Amino acid sequence: MRQTFLLRSIVAASLFLATPVLAEDAASGKDCKEAHHGRHGHRGMKGEHRLARMEHRLDRAVENGRLSQAQADAFKAEARQLRDELKAQRDAAGGQLSEDQRLQARERVRALRQKVKEAVRASAPQKT
């Protein structure tokens, strides 16, 4: 009887001591999931991924010799400036652009992409 009483008291004491630690681990895991949106999570962050993809493509073009580093840096700077301007407009408008602003931004992004494509095509090796 004394052994079971001793065993129960040890188990109860260990649970009381471990509960705050377990609660802390569970809470920090929840915050981690909220802080990390992942690839498919937070839909408002698409612009960030697009810019990263464009930078990656430009870096690959430099590695393959299809663009110079100066050209790639200029395109990256222009893309960042465009993204920052759009973000400032969106913040000033309360989180949403008007239809005219949206169309203008879309045209500016298309023009930038077209400039990048033309620069890559101009310096691409000719197929024979």
Side-chain angles (χ1 to χ4, degrees), residues 71-115:
Q71 285 176 316
D73 290 340
F75 287 136
K76 287 178 189 180
E78 189 174 347
R80 282 190 199 108
Q81 179 184 4
L82 180 60
R83 184 196 65 195
D84 292 341
E85 287 175 8
L86 290 175
K87 186 176 180 183
Q89 283 181 351
R90 198 175 299 117
D91 290 342
Q96 198 154 11
L97 295 176
S98 68
E99 189 63 32
D100 293 335
Q101 289 174 326
R102 193 175 301 135
L103 291 174
Q104 183 183 17
R106 196 171 292 153
E107 288 301 318
R108 290 174 65 189
V109 170
R110 283 184 186 147
L112 175 63
R113 283 190 198 136
Q114 191 62 32
K115 277 199 310 191

